[in-house]
Amino acid sequence: LDDADPADTKYYLAFDGLRHVGLVDNTGNSKDAGGVVSFGLLKAQLTRMRDQANLIDWGHPINPADVVYVTDPTTAEAIAQLDEVLTVDKFGPQATVLTGQLASIGRNPLVSSMAMSLTEADGKVSTTGTNNIKGHVVCVNRPGLTAGWRRRIKVEVERLPGRDQSRIVYSLRMGLGRYSATGAASGIEMADVLYNISL
């Protein structure tokens, strides 16, 4: 959030997530598109996902399905218009003109998510909705993330004598691990953010 601290009850404060990698933790893993999205800009995200010191190439795994592009629906529609994925001669039988949907960037899947809102030019969300007019794309190598439990679901019954009622309370504690060879957030290389996309 760009303008103010988000409310403590916001769900996205539970973890430092994928956009946080490129916009805050390791700014070398982000790029200001400065205009319209292109196939070259999307493919360049893979190149930035390299850990030279530890010889890990997160952008080019053995299984191409490990790398996923995630974007907001408006940017996904703009990507669907790219010549590289629109026509049969460039993208084969999965071309948008035949299937009506964008399946992948190169050999990597593209996922559109409503959880990815439009942003300001700096890639962050404004509290003023009309400022959020730019698109962005997060590219991530999924094995670089792990979700786990700090504590499994706990169910308790709490008596409320003043109301002559009982309340069932459940709670859990999850965790999200983002791999870093150095152990520091600045060493995370498994994700990249492309922002400031004009729509």
Side-chain angles (χ1 to χ4, degrees):
L1 193 64
D2 220 9
D3 308 302
D5 288 339
D8 292 342
T9 55
K10 289 292 186 182
Y11 66 91
Y12 54 79
L13 294 178
F15 312 114
D16 285 340
L18 300 176
R19 284 196 293 185
H20 202 270
V21 171
L23 297 177
V24 178
D25 297 325
N26 180 2
T27 55
N29 279 30
S30 64
K31 171 90 173 147
D32 182 340
V36 296
V37 68
S38 71
F39 196 75
L41 284 170
L42 294 167
K43 293 299 283 180
Q45 289 188 267
L46 302 176
T47 304
R48 288 190 294 274
M49 294 168 57
R50 288 189 183 152
D51 183 348
Q52 297 288 2
N54 296 292
L55 303 176
I56 303 171
D57 187 357
W58 291 101
H60 302 90
I62 293 170
N63 180 3
D66 284 347
V67 174
V68 177
Y69 289 88
V70 185
T71 187
D72 60 272
T74 308
T75 304
E77 288 297 324
I79 292 171
Q81 300 304 313
L82 294 176
D83 287 341
E84 290 84 354
V85 298
L86 187 64
T87 59
V88 178
D89 62 319
K90 295 200 173 82
F91 204 67
Q94 295 300 317
T96 303
V97 73
L98 295 179
T99 64
Q101 65 182 39
L102 183 63
S104 60
I105 302 300
R107 296 178 3 175
N108 309 111
L110 174 77
V111 177
S112 171
S113 172
M114 287 299 293
M116 301 281 282
S117 61
L118 294 176
T119 67
E120 292 184 302
D122 62 0
K124 298 176 184 171
V125 177
S126 172
T127 54
T128 306
T130 55
N131 292 344
N132 299 319
I133 58 170
K134 300 290 185 174
H136 65 287
V137 179
V138 175
C139 184
V140 61
N141 187 312
R142 295 180 301 159
L145 297 164
T146 187
W149 297 99
R150 295 177 183 262
R151 182 176 51 76
R152 293 276 184 182
I153 295 176
K154 181 178 178 181
V155 180
E156 300 174 273
V157 177
E158 181 181 27
R159 183 78 181 129
L160 303 171
R163 296 182 182 170
D164 194 25
Q165 295 178 341
S166 294
R167 174 171 42 196
I168 299 173
V169 179
Y170 77 95
S171 62
L172 57 91
R173 293 186 67 208
M174 279 189 70
L176 177 68
R178 303 174 305 156
Y179 179 80
S180 169
T182 65
S186 60
I188 298 173
E189 297 286 350
M190 56 74 186
D192 184 84
V193 179
L194 179 65
Y195 62 94
N196 194 18
I197 298 171
S198 298
L199 302 170

